[in-house]
């Protein structure tokens, strides 16, 4: 009887250890068109406090690689575009550091491509970004 109870407890504990995958606080899907042999900036991620101080630059990780091009993340400075009415909207007038994500099709590639990446914010949030790209 003891062995049975021990086996039942261990199997319940093991069942509770299964991972359900990442829960995204935001899961965006976008479509973009571009000309072949050009690099485009897909997005820039600014992590600023209400007073425009830098909280930290988010990390970007590729989830699925592209078949028709290359995805690259870079740290750069630029002007954010926070929505009007948000506390950080005042930050839009000054340059701030950000993590930007760029897509470059391989030379001569024309067609559809899809890229998926995750953005890891310093507060623990994880966003997923999916871009369907049409290269002409």
């Amino acid at each position: 009887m003891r062995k049975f109870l021990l086996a039942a407890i261990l199997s319940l504990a093991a069942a509770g250890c299964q991972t359900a995958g990442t829960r995204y606080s935001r899961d965006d899907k976008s479509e973009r068109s571009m000309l072949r042999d050009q690099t485009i900036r897909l997005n820039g991620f600014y992590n600023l406090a209400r007073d425009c101080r830098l909280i930290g630059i988010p990390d970007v990780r590729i989830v699925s690689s592209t078949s028709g091009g290359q995805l690259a993340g870079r740290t750069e400075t630029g002007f954010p575009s926070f929505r009007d009415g948000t506390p950080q909207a005042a930050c839009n007038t000054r340059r701030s550091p950000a993590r930007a994500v760029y897509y470059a099709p391989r030379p001569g590639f024309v067609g559809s491509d899809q890229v998926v990446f995750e953005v890891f914010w310093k507060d623990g949030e994880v966003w997923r970004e999916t871009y369907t790209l049409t290269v002409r």
Side-chain angles (χ1 to χ4, degrees), residues 38-109:
Q38 291 187 342
T39 298
I40 62 167
R41 184 177 190 257
L42 296 177
N43 208 337
F45 301 98
Y46 296 86
N47 196 8
L48 304 175
R50 292 172 182 250
D51 63 359
C52 303
R53 282 180 298 115
L54 177 67
I55 294 171
I57 297 173
D59 294 316
V60 172
R61 294 193 189 133
I62 298 169
V63 173
S64 67
S65 3
T66 69
S67 59
Q70 184 175 0
L71 198 61
R74 298 182 210 158
T75 300
E76 62 184 27
T77 58
F79 293 98
S81 56
F82 291 104
R83 286 190 312 267
D84 288 340
T86 62
Q88 288 89 348
C91 305
N92 293 345
T93 61
R94 60 172 95 167
R95 287 187 170 278
S96 300
R99 177 79 67 212
V101 178
Y102 288 85
Y103 171 81
R106 68 177 189 269
F109 175 78

Side-chain angles (χ1 to χ4, degrees), residues 28-42:
D28 287 342
K29 294 174 177 45
S30 301
E31 294 182 10
R32 300 282 297 271
S33 293
M34 61 184 294
L35 296 175
R36 68 182 181 157
D37 301 325
Q38 291 187 342
T39 298
I40 62 167
R41 184 177 190 257
L42 296 177

